[in-house]
Amino acid sequence: SNIPIRIYSPKGMGSFPVLIYFHGGGYVFGNLDEADHICNSFSIETPAIVVSVDYRLSPENKYPCAIEDAYTSLLWVEKEITKYNGNHNIIGVAGESAGASLATVISQMSRDKNGPKICFQLLICPWVDLLHLDTESYKLFGNGCWLSKINIEYYSSQYLQNSEQAKEYHVSPLLTDNLR
């Protein structure tokens, strides 16, 4: 698979930990350029190799395309990152919004498939439950904030092939029986 990525390398030598980053955008928009500043900052300040992943977007590429790209990128990092001075034994995943959901989902997939091992997650406002959009939080904060309930419903409709898929833990990772 030919998934665009951008690799950020900190100064110095050695075997750096690796952070795989997935941009936000409701699975509908977002790209490597929008994630450039945060990925560059993570690489410099951590220091770590940061691999920013430009997964396929909806509605042209509906669920599970983004998840497939995210997991494929994890497999690539485990296999190839040593060529870039990265340590394939210290891999973390991170993302914002829909990207944070991808980080969570591939962590669960990695656990279920016995690897690659993910050492940590950095989740910035993750989408972890697209099934229950009627919670108290949605009632209190569903309007007037940067991302409204109506927007989330729109992005979900673009991402999913049908609303029943929101029940699947690869869409709503909080619904899994095993959160380890």
Side-chain angles (χ1 to χ4, degrees), residues 21-178:
Y21 187 84
F22 304 101
H23 63 77
Y27 303 107
V28 175
F29 66 92
N31 58 43
L32 296 174
D33 291 336
E34 289 179 18
D36 185 69
H37 180 74
I38 194 167
C39 291
N40 190 47
S41 295
F42 284 156
S43 180
I44 292 168
E45 298 296 327
T46 307
I49 303 281
V50 176
V51 178
S52 184
V53 179
D54 200 16
Y55 55 89
R56 289 175 286 173
L57 299 176
S58 296
E60 296 82 8
N61 300 286
K62 291 190 175 277
Y63 168 77
C65 293
I67 293 167
E68 292 168 350
D69 290 354
Y71 191 72
T72 297
S73 70
L74 171 63
L75 296 175
W76 182 88
V77 164
E78 182 191 44
K79 182 179 176 190
E80 302 292 337
I81 204 62
T82 56
K83 296 175 185 174
Y84 301 89
N85 293 321
N87 185 336
H88 68 274
N89 292 312
I90 307 174
I91 299 173
V93 292
E96 180 180 355
S97 193
S101 178
L102 292 175
T104 301
V105 168
I106 68 165
S107 294
Q108 292 173 347
M109 291 174 70
S110 181
R111 174 203 63 214
D112 295 346
K113 295 174 184 260
N114 295 314
K117 182 181 178 194
I118 295 177
C119 298
F120 63 92
Q121 297 179 47
L122 172 61
L123 309 176
I124 304 166
C125 58
W127 289 16
V128 291
D129 186 351
L130 293 180
L131 180 63
H132 301 103
L133 301 182
D134 58 352
T135 64
E136 188 66 23
S137 180
Y138 277 104
K139 290 174 188 167
L140 292 172
F141 305 109
N143 290 313
C145 295
W146 179 78
L147 184 61
S148 69
K149 178 182 174 187
I150 291 171
N151 292 128
I152 292 174
E153 290 171 342
Y154 170 76
Y155 294 135
S156 295
S157 74
Q158 298 301 299
Y159 176 55
L160 301 176
Q161 297 173 37
N162 61 67
S163 61
E164 286 293 304
Q165 290 178 321
K167 296 177 182 176
E168 297 179 26
Y169 81 90
H170 283 161
V171 173
S172 299
L174 191 62
L175 303 181
T176 186
D177 293 332
N178 182 358

